Amino acid sequence: MSEIDTTLDYKFGAQTLFALRHTGEICGSNGLPLTPKSIGILGKSQILKTFKHASLATYLDFIRGKHERLLIVSEFKKQNLKSRLYENKSSVIKIAHQVLKALAYLNSNGIVHRALCAENILLDEKGDVKLFNYGLYHMTNNGLDVEFPIGSVKYMAPEVLVSVLNKNYISGPKVDVWSLGIILMEIIFKTELWPKLKLSQCLRKVLSLIYCDDVLSRFARESDKMQIYQEMDSDLKNFLESCLQVNPKNRSIPEELLKHKIFEGVTEMQFINDFEEENNNGHPLNLWQLHELYYLWQLAGGDVHSELKRNGLIKTKPPILSVPSLILLEGMSFGHIKDPACMLDLKVVPLSLDALTARLKHINFNIYYPLIETKLHLINDLENSDKELENLPLIIRERDTEYQLHRIVLYKRLLQGYPYTRRRIYHEAIKDIPPIFRGEIWAALLDVKGDIENEYIAIDKETPIPTDRQIEVDIPRCHQYNELLSSKRGHLKLKRILKAWVVNSQQYVYWQGLDSLCAPFLCLNFNNEARAFASFSAFIPKYLHNFFLKDNSAVIKEYLAKFFHLMAYHDPILAKHLQEINFIPELFAIPWFLTMFSHVFPLHKIFHLWDKLLLGDSSYPLFIGLAILEQLRDTLLQSGFNECILLFSDLPEVDIERCVTISSNLYFDTPRSITFRKFQLNSSTDKLPYTLTEDMMSEIQKELNPRLDVVDFLELVNSRDTRSNVLVVDARSNSEFGEKSVAGSINIPYESIDFKNDISSGIPSSPELSVLINNKGKMIIIIGQTASEAAKFCSFLTNAEFSKVCFLNGGIDVLLSSGILTQVNSY
Amino acid sequence: MSNRTVSQRPNGQNQGKICQFKLVLLGESAVGKSSLVLRFVKGQFHEFQESTIGAAFLTQTVCLDDTTVKFEIWDTAGQERYHSLAPMYYRGAQAAIVVYDITNQDTFGRAKTWVKELQRQASPNIVIALAGNKTDLANKRSVEYEEASQYAEENALLFMETSAKTAMNVNDIFLAIAKKLPKNDGNVGNGLTSPGSRRLGDADGGSRMSSGCCK
């Protein structure tokens, strides 16, 4: 095998520009501050990242800097057409064809290049075209959000210059055709157009063409290339002439031009995708999608901002030199006006991959080709360093280049195999979810599949509905610290998804809070509304079944009652305290559960929280609630009603990783039937054969302690692992106990208990109770004569600060056929 | 249960009595209820104040001559759907501020509905104030001052136009309420009213809640 090249080709570059600044008025007519133009650009530019075309340089990232600066990262090649102006005819046709293909693709996505020039036609190693800077006009809102003109004058179509003062003018696809004509002409005439003219002279030149009938021959004459002109192939001449039509009406659009005669016989360029195995001698990362590579580059310490700084594209001036000389009360400022010419720097800084290469040098190439289905454990054993990494805190793992490399490699494979790999995806997600694929993985965990694209398209998101007003007032205050969500594009998308949901789920209505609930999905799938919608729509029935009914009070009441049951079960001291000060969950937990915490935490915390939430069932959020209380426990226990409620109105910092750990510990430490709810979504497949039925629920809500179903009871009592941690207390009379009882259970007749006696001090009033005290910490299951007696016994124990107290639903009768009852003769 | 809070005197307030009052804010969503409270309690204004779900609770103390008045403020969710929760918050309240947005006629209509509901359902002696918020947007006004003022007069409401953004009349409206509230001995150090609980089966909960302080 030949030597493997361990270096990475250099792949992407960065450039920077400034957005137009708002002057004067700081607030719009709605009283809200005007959204900075750079945010607008950021929102509009996202879609560009989705464009994948062989002849387009892929956009990778848009970053907002200080003072309305924007950094743009995109695929980049050092060669461009400008440096290779003298080509032969066949390559002219090839270039024209590829550029037109790319333009037609952009047009079909509603985009016009507008800045087409020789410098913006990059050429790769094989001489194939990569169109560059094609998103500038689109992302800047047709040039309105920046101070500089888009495009270079020499190549501009005359109608663009004529319309300069017309604010409503928007360039169409034909302006690019003109520019292409000029570029090709330069190549064919082997000369640069007007090399010595100043900008103003160029302007005049272009405008002078307005009354010209035959642009091509005029150029030939002016540049002294009549010979070439006359010898030119007639098809090519015809092609150029149709590009260089002064009146746009007579000019073709790229799509039409592709059918031109000169392209007959041009072989379709093979669409090389990034997975092509052609150069498999190179570094495996060369075959990666660029955005994945860029992501790793950042993890390995790559910083676009500092690269630009190092190359002099970002200069920092001392603040004293950049503050205005005078500011009026209305916000107008004077002095230090920025020259519009310096608002855009066309220079591109190539971003070196050296650091990343060095970082990954020692990595065995085998890891790039994981074996998913076979002997995975063997491979994992080889990667000991990986194992160590797994135990590091999540925050560190997420920033570790190597670890993320492993995860990306693995998940890429798994996601390609979805939905068949869903179980593996779930299994891996228990460890963690790599941020780069979070949107996709969440969708997989939520079982989103099928033709979501068309399903989403089919929903009417435009017709006004009565809910519009509410959605419209909620969106401008939903997670607005996030740049994408605060952009106009973001608002629009969020509105569309929410409307689609309201229209699509007729039994439900829009509740405030749904906006927050939708935000994480939109944020992760900003360029894939359909997936955001599908994930959002799958999330709600799974975790918030019936929460958004017009009248949801019964659902919420039951949920909060369960929350209190769990609190009593796991933390009787806190439950007792909160009950005493009358601090009921209704007062603080509604926004928690109604929005699955998305209204209480910032997005970066929600991501980590939901990473785990999505692995659990609909009861899992209850445990997250408990875990939050756990972090505030000490304060709560020392506080009265007012202090408690104040604490929750302005929730202190919550450590999410700890919250996740504790909630999952509690989750696994709780028998399933304890969290059983009437309103949970019970699909027919996983319906449990519980004796707990829906009509008991109103009774259950009044109780303070949870009921345990016989299914769980038998499992706990029959399993050796759990048996020793369970204490079964039979509260029936001595004689009944003697007749039949659970083996190993103890008998404390209900009548014998002095309910006024507080045994929390540890002094038992009877020998039976002393057994309980000695077994404190074990799970205590009460079997009562009646449910109300058992419930009272339970709450007596909770008050005495016994944890894990519950009672068997249905009492001794449900055990009659189980075969675990024995006769005790000693009585 | 009754010993849960002993109101604390702010520094330097050694004489005079302390009264506590429960005050609730009601009104259509996005009229600025939370912003008014935030301005009054913390002197802040957040342009992108997030929507309130359920309710939020804050306290603030104001001094009136020799009396210290402590407001326990329940800031409620505005959306109509959360209406069913509202009684939990206004039950036992001694004061209410009903807020509307002067640039939006519908919110004024909703404010009237709230006033009616309070007059019918809340404690009989409740002091109700009407606040026309967002006066900083006066150029987009659609509810005239006179219209609202006349309505307030007919219904014996305190009335002010406010702006949480510029702080105009924000403290004033709370002070006006504080002045109007009866400050008999019943309030001193015992103004606590927590929303009641049905589920906790607290037998005396209901009576304590409605007992209030102003009789």
Coordinates of all heavy atoms in Angstrom, one line a residue, chain A residues 27 29-33 469-470 473 476-477 480 509-513 561 564 580 582 584-587 590-591 594-595 599 641-642 645-646 649-650 701, chain B residues 1 4 28-30 42 47-53 56-59 72 74 79 81-82 88 104 137 140 165 192 194-197 199-200 202 208:
Chain A
C27 N -35.5 53.1 18.3 CA -36.7 52.2 18.4 C -37.6 52.3 17.2 O -37.7 53.3 16.6 CB -37.5 52.6 19.7 SG -36.7 52.1 21.2
S29 N -41.4 51.6 15.4 CA -42.7 52.2 15.8 C -43.4 51.4 16.9 O -44.3 51.8 17.5 CB -43.6 52.3 14.6 OG -43.7 51.0 14.0
N30 N -43.0 50.1 17.1 CA -43.6 49.3 18.1 C -43.0 49.5 19.5 O -43.3 48.8 20.4 CB -43.6 47.8 17.7 CG -42.2 47.3 17.5 OD1 -41.2 48.1 17.6 ND2 -42.0 46.1 17.2
G31 N -42.0 50.4 19.5 CA -41.4 50.7 20.8 C -40.2 49.8 21.1 O -39.5 50.0 22.0
L32 N -40.1 48.8 20.3 CA -38.9 47.9 20.5 C -37.7 48.4 19.8 O -37.9 49.0 18.7 CB -39.3 46.5 20.0 CG -40.3 45.7 20.8 CD1 -40.7 44.4 20.1 CD2 -39.9 45.5 22.2
P33 N -36.5 48.1 20.3 CA -35.3 48.6 19.6 C -35.3 48.0 18.2 O -35.7 46.8 18.0 CB -34.2 48.0 20.4 CG -34.8 47.5 21.7 CD -36.2 47.3 21.4
R469 N -52.6 37.1 16.6 CA -52.2 38.2 17.4 C -51.3 37.7 18.6 O -50.3 38.3 18.9 CB -53.5 38.9 18.0 CG -53.2 40.3 18.6 CD -53.4 40.3 20.1 NE -52.7 41.5 20.7 CZ -52.4 41.5 22.0 NH1 -52.7 40.6 22.8 NH2 -51.8 42.6 22.4
Q470 N -51.8 36.6 19.2 CA -51.0 36.1 20.4 C -49.6 35.6 20.0 O -48.7 35.9 20.6 CB -51.8 35.0 21.1 CG -51.3 34.5 22.4 CD -51.4 35.6 23.4 OE1 -52.4 36.2 23.6 NE2 -50.3 35.9 24.1
V473 N -47.4 38.6 19.4 CA -46.8 39.4 20.5 C -45.9 38.5 21.3 O -45.0 39.0 22.1 CB -47.9 39.9 21.5 CG1 -48.8 40.9 20.8 CG2 -48.7 38.8 22.2
P476 N -41.7 38.2 19.5 CA -40.6 39.1 19.7 C -40.0 39.1 21.1 O -39.1 39.9 21.5 CB -41.2 40.5 19.4 CG -42.5 40.2 18.8 CD -42.9 38.8 19.2
R477 N -40.5 38.2 22.0 CA -39.9 38.2 23.3 C -39.5 36.7 23.7 O -39.3 36.4 24.9 CB -40.9 38.7 24.4 CG -42.3 38.4 24.2 CD -43.2 39.3 25.0 NE -44.6 38.9 24.9 CZ -45.5 38.9 25.9 NH1 -45.1 39.4 27.0 NH2 -46.7 38.5 25.7
Q480 N -34.9 36.0 22.9 CA -34.4 37.0 21.9 C -32.9 37.3 22.1 O -32.3 38.0 21.3 CB -35.2 38.3 22.0 CG -36.6 38.2 21.5 CD -36.7 37.8 20.1 OE1 -36.3 38.6 19.2 NE2 -37.1 36.6 19.8
V509 N -55.0 24.0 21.3 CA -55.0 25.4 21.0 C -53.6 26.0 21.4 O -52.9 25.3 22.1 CB -56.1 26.2 21.8 CG1 -57.5 25.8 21.3 CG2 -56.0 25.9 23.3
Y510 N -53.4 27.2 21.0 CA -52.1 27.8 21.3 C -52.1 28.3 22.7 O -53.0 29.2 23.1 CB -51.9 29.0 20.3 CG -50.6 29.7 20.6 CD1 -49.4 29.2 20.2 CD2 -50.6 30.9 21.4 CE1 -48.2 29.9 20.5 CE2 -49.4 31.6 21.7 CZ -48.2 31.1 21.2 OH -47.1 31.7 21.6
W511 N -51.2 27.9 23.5 CA -51.0 28.4 24.9 C -49.7 29.2 24.9 O -48.7 28.7 24.3 CB -50.9 27.3 25.9 CG -52.2 26.7 26.3 CD1 -52.9 25.8 25.6 CD2 -52.9 26.9 27.5 NE1 -54.0 25.4 26.3 CE2 -54.1 26.1 27.4 CE3 -52.8 27.8 28.6 CZ2 -55.1 26.1 28.4 CZ3 -53.7 27.8 29.6 CH2 -54.8 26.9 29.5
Q512 N -49.7 30.3 25.6 CA -48.4 31.0 25.7 C -47.4 30.0 26.3 O -47.7 29.3 27.2 CB -48.6 32.2 26.7 CG -49.0 33.4 26.0 CD -48.9 34.6 27.0 OE1 -49.3 34.5 28.1 NE2 -48.4 35.7 26.5
G513 N -46.2 30.0 25.8 CA -45.3 29.0 26.3 C -44.9 28.1 25.1 O -43.8 27.5 25.1
A561 N -50.1 17.0 40.9 CA -50.3 16.1 42.0 C -49.3 14.9 42.0 O -48.7 14.6 43.1 CB -51.7 15.5 41.9
F564 N -46.1 16.2 43.3 CA -46.0 16.2 44.8 C -45.9 14.8 45.4 O -45.1 14.6 46.3 CB -47.3 16.9 45.3 CG -47.1 17.3 46.8 CD1 -46.5 18.6 47.1 CD2 -47.5 16.5 47.8 CE1 -46.3 18.9 48.4 CE2 -47.2 16.9 49.1 CZ -46.6 18.1 49.4
E580 N -46.5 22.6 54.6 CA -46.8 23.4 55.8 C -46.9 24.9 55.5 O -47.7 25.6 56.0 CB -45.7 23.2 56.8 CG -46.0 22.0 57.7 CD -44.8 21.7 58.6 OE1 -43.8 22.5 58.7 OE2 -44.9 20.7 59.3
N582 N -47.8 26.0 52.7 CA -48.8 26.1 51.7 C -48.2 26.5 50.3 O -48.8 27.2 49.5 CB -49.8 27.1 52.1 CG -51.2 26.7 51.6 OD1 -51.3 25.8 50.9 ND2 -52.2 27.4 52.1
I584 N -47.7 25.4 47.1 CA -48.1 24.3 46.3 C -47.4 24.4 44.9 O -47.1 25.5 44.5 CB -49.6 24.2 46.2 CG1 -50.1 25.6 45.7 CG2 -50.2 23.8 47.5 CD1 -51.6 25.6 45.5
P585 N -47.2 23.3 44.2 CA -46.6 23.3 42.9 C -47.3 24.2 41.9 O -46.7 24.7 41.0 CB -46.6 21.8 42.5 CG -46.7 21.1 43.7 CD -47.5 21.9 44.7
E586 N -48.6 24.4 42.1 CA -49.4 25.2 41.1 C -48.8 26.6 41.1 O -48.9 27.3 40.1 CB -50.8 25.4 41.6 CG -51.8 24.3 41.2 CD -51.7 23.1 42.0 OE1 -50.8 23.0 42.9 OE2 -52.6 22.2 41.9
L587 N -48.1 27.0 42.1 CA -47.6 28.4 42.2 C -46.3 28.6 41.4 O -45.9 29.7 41.1 CB -47.4 28.8 43.6 CG -48.6 28.9 44.4 CD1 -48.3 29.2 45.9 CD2 -49.5 30.0 43.9
I590 N -46.0 25.4 37.0 CA -46.7 25.4 35.8 C -45.8 25.8 34.6 O -45.7 25.0 33.6 CB -48.0 26.2 35.9 CG1 -49.0 25.6 36.8 CG2 -48.6 26.4 34.5 CD1 -50.2 26.3 37.1
P591 N -45.1 26.9 34.7 CA -44.2 27.2 33.5 C -43.1 26.2 33.3 O -42.7 26.0 32.2 CB -43.6 28.6 33.9 CG -43.9 28.8 35.3 CD -45.1 28.0 35.7
L594 N -45.2 23.0 31.6 CA -46.0 23.4 30.4 C -45.0 23.6 29.2 O -45.3 23.4 28.1 CB -46.8 24.6 30.7 CG -47.9 24.9 29.6 CD1 -49.0 23.9 29.8 CD2 -48.4 26.3 29.8
T595 N -43.8 24.1 29.6 CA -42.8 24.4 28.5 C -41.6 23.4 28.6 O -40.7 23.7 27.9 CB -42.3 25.8 28.6 OG1 -41.5 25.9 29.8 CG2 -43.4 26.8 28.7
H599 N -39.0 27.6 29.1 CA -39.3 29.0 29.4 C -38.5 29.5 30.6 O -38.4 30.7 30.9 CB -40.8 29.2 29.7 CG -41.3 30.6 29.7 ND1 -41.5 31.2 28.5 CD2 -41.6 31.4 30.7 CE1 -41.9 32.5 28.8 NE2 -42.0 32.6 30.1
F641 N -43.1 31.2 53.0 CA -43.9 31.3 51.7 C -43.3 32.4 50.8 O -43.0 32.1 49.6 CB -45.4 31.5 52.0 CG -46.2 31.6 50.8 CD1 -46.7 30.4 50.2 CD2 -46.5 32.8 50.2 CE1 -47.5 30.5 49.1 CE2 -47.3 32.9 49.1 CZ -47.7 31.7 48.5
N642 N -43.2 33.6 51.3 CA -42.8 34.7 50.4 C -41.4 34.5 49.8 O -41.2 34.7 48.7 CB -42.8 36.0 51.2 CG -44.2 36.6 51.2 OD1 -45.2 36.0 50.8 ND2 -44.3 37.9 51.6
I645 N -41.5 31.8 47.1 CA -42.1 32.2 45.8 C -41.2 33.3 45.1 O -41.0 33.2 43.9 CB -43.5 32.7 46.0 CG1 -44.2 32.9 44.6 CG2 -43.6 34.0 46.7 CD1 -45.0 31.6 44.3
L646 N -40.5 34.1 45.9 CA -39.6 35.0 45.3 C -38.4 34.3 44.6 O -38.0 34.7 43.6 CB -39.0 36.0 46.4 CG -39.9 37.2 46.7 CD1 -39.3 38.0 47.9 CD2 -40.1 38.1 45.5
S649 N -39.6 33.2 41.3 CA -39.9 34.2 40.3 C -38.6 34.6 39.7 O -38.6 35.1 38.6 CB -40.6 35.4 41.0 OG -41.9 35.0 41.3
D650 N -37.5 34.5 40.4 CA -36.2 34.9 39.8 C -35.3 33.7 40.0 O -34.4 33.8 40.9 CB -35.8 36.1 40.5 CG -34.8 36.9 39.7 OD1 -34.4 36.4 38.6 OD2 -34.4 38.0 40.1
Q701 N -55.4 11.9 43.4 CA -54.9 13.2 43.4 C -55.0 13.9 44.8 O -54.3 14.8 45.2 CB -55.6 14.1 42.4 CG -55.0 13.9 41.0 CD -55.9 14.6 40.0 OE1 -56.3 15.7 40.2 NE2 -56.1 13.9 38.8
Chain B
M1 N -48.4 27.4 61.1 CA -48.4 28.0 59.8 C -48.4 29.5 59.8 O -47.9 30.1 58.9 CB -49.7 27.5 59.0 CG -49.5 26.1 58.5 SD -50.9 25.7 57.5 CE -50.8 24.0 57.5
R4 N -45.1 32.0 59.6 CA -44.1 31.9 58.5 C -43.3 33.1 58.2 O -42.2 33.1 57.8 CB -44.8 31.3 57.3 CG -45.9 32.2 56.8 CD -46.5 31.5 55.6 NE -47.7 32.3 55.3 CZ -48.9 31.8 55.3 NH1 -49.0 30.5 55.5 NH2 -49.9 32.5 55.0
E28 N -54.6 42.1 29.3 CA -54.3 41.3 28.1 C -52.8 41.1 28.0 O -52.0 41.8 28.6 CB -54.8 42.1 26.9 CG -54.6 41.5 25.5 CD -55.2 40.1 25.4 OE1 -56.3 40.0 24.9 OE2 -54.5 39.1 25.7
S29 N -52.4 40.1 27.3 CA -50.9 39.8 27.2 C -50.2 40.9 26.4 O -50.8 41.5 25.5 CB -50.7 38.4 26.7 OG -51.1 38.4 25.3
A30 N -49.0 41.1 26.7 CA -48.1 42.1 26.0 C -48.6 43.5 26.2 O -48.2 44.4 25.4 CB -48.0 41.7 24.6
K42 N -37.6 46.9 40.6 CA -36.2 46.9 40.4 C -35.7 48.2 39.7 O -34.5 48.3 39.4 CB -35.7 45.7 39.6 CG -35.9 44.4 40.4 CD -35.4 43.2 39.7 CE -35.6 41.9 40.5 NZ -35.3 40.7 39.7
E47 N -36.4 45.4 27.3 CA -37.1 45.5 26.0 C -37.8 44.2 25.6 O -38.9 44.2 25.1 CB -36.2 46.0 24.9 CG -36.4 47.4 24.5 CD -35.3 48.3 24.9 OE1 -34.3 47.8 25.3 OE2 -35.5 49.6 24.9
F48 N -37.1 43.2 25.8 CA -37.6 41.9 25.4 C -38.1 41.1 26.6 O -37.9 39.9 26.6 CB -36.6 41.1 24.6 CG -36.0 41.9 23.4 CD1 -34.8 42.4 23.5 CD2 -36.8 42.1 22.3 CE1 -34.3 43.2 22.4 CE2 -36.4 42.8 21.2 CZ -35.1 43.3 21.3
Q49 N -38.8 41.7 27.5 CA -39.4 41.1 28.7 C -40.1 39.8 28.2 O -41.1 39.9 27.4 CB -40.3 42.0 29.4 CG -41.0 41.5 30.6 CD -40.1 41.2 31.7 OE1 -39.2 42.0 32.0 NE2 -40.2 40.1 32.4
E50 N -39.7 38.7 28.7 CA -40.4 37.5 28.3 C -41.8 37.3 28.8 O -42.1 38.0 29.8 CB -39.5 36.2 28.7 CG -39.3 36.1 30.1 CD -38.0 35.4 30.5 OE1 -37.1 35.5 29.6 OE2 -37.9 34.9 31.5
S51 N -42.6 36.6 28.1 CA -44.0 36.4 28.5 C -44.0 35.7 29.9 O -43.2 34.9 30.2 CB -44.7 35.7 27.5 OG -44.1 34.4 27.2
T52 N -45.1 36.0 30.6 CA -45.3 35.4 31.9 C -46.2 34.2 31.8 O -47.3 34.3 31.2 CB -45.9 36.3 32.9 OG1 -45.1 37.5 32.9 CG2 -46.0 35.8 34.3
I53 N -45.7 33.0 32.3 CA -46.6 31.8 32.2 C -47.0 31.5 33.6 O -46.1 31.5 34.5 CB -45.8 30.7 31.5 CG1 -45.6 31.0 30.1 CG2 -46.5 29.4 31.7 CD1 -44.8 30.1 29.3
A56 N -46.0 35.4 38.3 CA -44.7 35.6 38.9 C -45.0 36.5 40.2 O -46.1 37.1 40.3 CB -43.8 36.4 38.0
F57 N -44.1 36.4 41.1 CA -44.4 37.1 42.4 C -43.2 37.9 42.8 O -42.0 37.5 42.6 CB -44.6 36.0 43.5 CG -44.8 36.5 44.8 CD1 -46.1 37.0 45.2 CD2 -43.8 36.6 45.8 CE1 -46.3 37.4 46.5 CE2 -44.0 37.1 47.0 CZ -45.3 37.5 47.4
L58 N -43.4 39.2 43.2 CA -42.4 40.1 43.6 C -42.9 40.9 44.8 O -44.1 41.0 45.0 CB -41.9 41.0 42.5 CG -41.1 40.3 41.4 CD1 -41.4 40.9 40.0 CD2 -39.7 40.3 41.7
T59 N -42.0 41.4 45.5 CA -42.4 42.3 46.6 C -41.7 43.7 46.5 O -40.6 43.7 46.0 CB -42.1 41.7 48.0 OG1 -40.7 41.5 48.1 CG2 -42.8 40.4 48.2
E72 N -47.2 42.8 48.1 CA -46.8 41.5 47.6 C -47.5 41.4 46.2 O -48.8 41.4 46.1 CB -47.4 40.4 48.5 CG -46.7 40.4 49.8 CD -47.5 39.5 50.8 OE1 -48.6 39.1 50.5 OE2 -47.0 39.3 51.9
W74 N -48.6 40.0 42.7 CA -48.7 38.8 41.8 C -48.9 39.3 40.4 O -49.9 40.0 40.1 CB -50.0 38.0 42.2 CG -49.7 37.2 43.4 CD1 -50.0 37.5 44.7 CD2 -49.1 35.9 43.4 NE1 -49.6 36.5 45.5 CE2 -49.0 35.5 44.8 CE3 -48.5 35.1 42.4 CZ2 -48.4 34.3 45.2 CZ3 -48.0 33.9 42.8 CH2 -47.9 33.5 44.2
Q79 N -52.5 35.9 28.6 CA -53.3 35.2 27.6 C -54.7 34.7 28.2 O -54.7 34.1 29.3 CB -52.6 34.0 27.1 CG -53.2 33.5 25.8 CD -52.6 32.2 25.3 OE1 -51.9 31.5 26.1 NE2 -53.0 31.7 24.2
R81 N -56.3 32.2 27.9 CA -56.4 30.8 28.3 C -56.0 30.6 29.8 O -56.4 29.7 30.4 CB -55.5 29.9 27.5 CG -55.6 30.1 26.0 CD -55.4 28.9 25.2 NE -55.5 29.2 23.8 CZ -56.6 29.3 23.2 NH1 -57.8 29.2 23.9 NH2 -56.7 29.6 22.0
Y82 N -55.1 31.5 30.2 CA -54.7 31.3 31.6 C -55.7 31.9 32.6 O -55.5 31.9 33.8 CB -53.3 32.0 31.8 CG -52.2 31.3 31.1 CD1 -51.8 31.5 29.8 CD2 -51.5 30.2 31.8 CE1 -50.8 30.9 29.2 CE2 -50.5 29.5 31.2 CZ -50.1 29.9 29.9 OH -49.1 29.2 29.3
M88 N -57.1 32.2 41.4 CA -56.1 31.7 42.5 C -55.2 32.9 42.9 O -54.8 32.9 44.0 CB -55.2 30.6 41.8 CG -54.2 30.1 42.7 SD -53.8 28.4 42.2 CE -52.5 28.7 40.9
N104 N -53.7 50.0 21.7 CA -54.5 48.9 21.2 C -55.8 48.9 21.9 O -55.9 48.6 23.1 CB -53.7 47.6 21.5 CG -54.4 46.4 21.0 OD1 -55.6 46.3 20.9 ND2 -53.6 45.4 20.6
L137 N -45.4 55.5 23.5 CA -45.8 55.3 22.1 C -47.1 56.2 21.8 O -48.0 55.7 21.0 CB -46.1 53.9 21.8 CG -45.0 52.9 22.0 CD1 -45.4 51.5 21.7 CD2 -43.9 53.2 21.0
K140 N -48.9 56.5 18.5 CA -49.7 55.4 18.0 C -50.9 55.1 18.8 O -51.6 54.1 18.7 CB -48.9 54.1 17.9 CG -47.8 54.2 16.8 CD -47.1 52.9 16.7 CE -47.9 51.8 16.0 NZ -47.3 50.4 16.2
K165 N -41.4 52.0 30.2 CA -40.2 52.2 29.6 C -39.5 53.5 30.1 O -38.3 53.5 30.4 CB -40.4 52.3 28.1 CG -39.1 52.4 27.3 CD -39.4 52.2 25.8 CE -38.1 52.4 25.0 NZ -38.3 52.1 23.6
L192 N -50.3 38.6 55.2 CA -50.0 37.5 54.3 C -51.2 36.8 53.8 O -52.0 36.4 54.5 CB -49.1 36.5 55.0 CG -47.7 37.0 55.0 CD1 -46.8 36.0 55.8 CD2 -47.2 36.9 53.5
S194 N -51.7 33.9 51.0 CA -51.1 33.1 49.9 C -52.3 32.5 49.2 O -53.3 32.3 49.7 CB -50.2 32.0 50.5 OG -51.0 31.1 51.2
P195 N -52.1 32.2 47.9 CA -53.1 31.6 47.2 C -53.4 30.3 47.8 O -52.6 29.6 48.3 CB -52.5 31.4 45.8 CG -51.4 32.4 45.7 CD -50.9 32.5 47.1
G196 N -54.7 29.9 47.8 CA -55.1 28.8 48.6 C -54.7 27.5 47.9 O -54.4 27.5 46.7
S197 N -55.0 26.4 48.6 CA -54.7 25.2 48.0 C -56.0 24.3 48.1 O -56.5 24.2 49.2 CB -53.6 24.5 48.7 OG -53.8 23.1 48.8
R199 N -55.9 21.2 46.8 CA -55.4 19.8 46.9 C -54.9 19.4 48.2 O -55.0 18.3 48.7 CB -54.4 19.6 45.8 CG -54.0 18.2 45.7 CD -53.2 18.0 44.4 NE -51.9 18.8 44.5 CZ -50.9 18.5 45.3 NH1 -51.0 17.4 46.1 NH2 -49.8 19.2 45.2
L200 N -54.2 20.4 48.8 CA -53.6 20.1 50.1 C -54.6 19.8 51.2 O -54.2 19.5 52.3 CB -52.6 21.1 50.4 CG -51.4 21.2 49.5 CD1 -50.5 22.3 49.9 CD2 -50.7 19.9 49.3
D202 N -56.4 21.7 53.0 CA -56.2 22.5 54.2 C -57.5 23.1 54.6 O -58.0 24.0 53.9 CB -55.1 23.6 53.8 CG -54.5 24.2 54.9 OD1 -54.9 23.8 56.1 OD2 -53.7 25.1 54.7
R208 N -58.6 31.5 55.6 CA -57.5 32.4 55.9 C -57.2 33.3 54.7 O -56.9 34.4 54.8 CB -56.3 31.5 56.2 CG -55.1 32.4 56.6 CD -54.1 31.5 57.3 NE -54.0 30.2 56.7 CZ -53.3 29.9 55.6 NH1 -52.6 30.8 55.0 NH2 -53.3 28.6 55.2

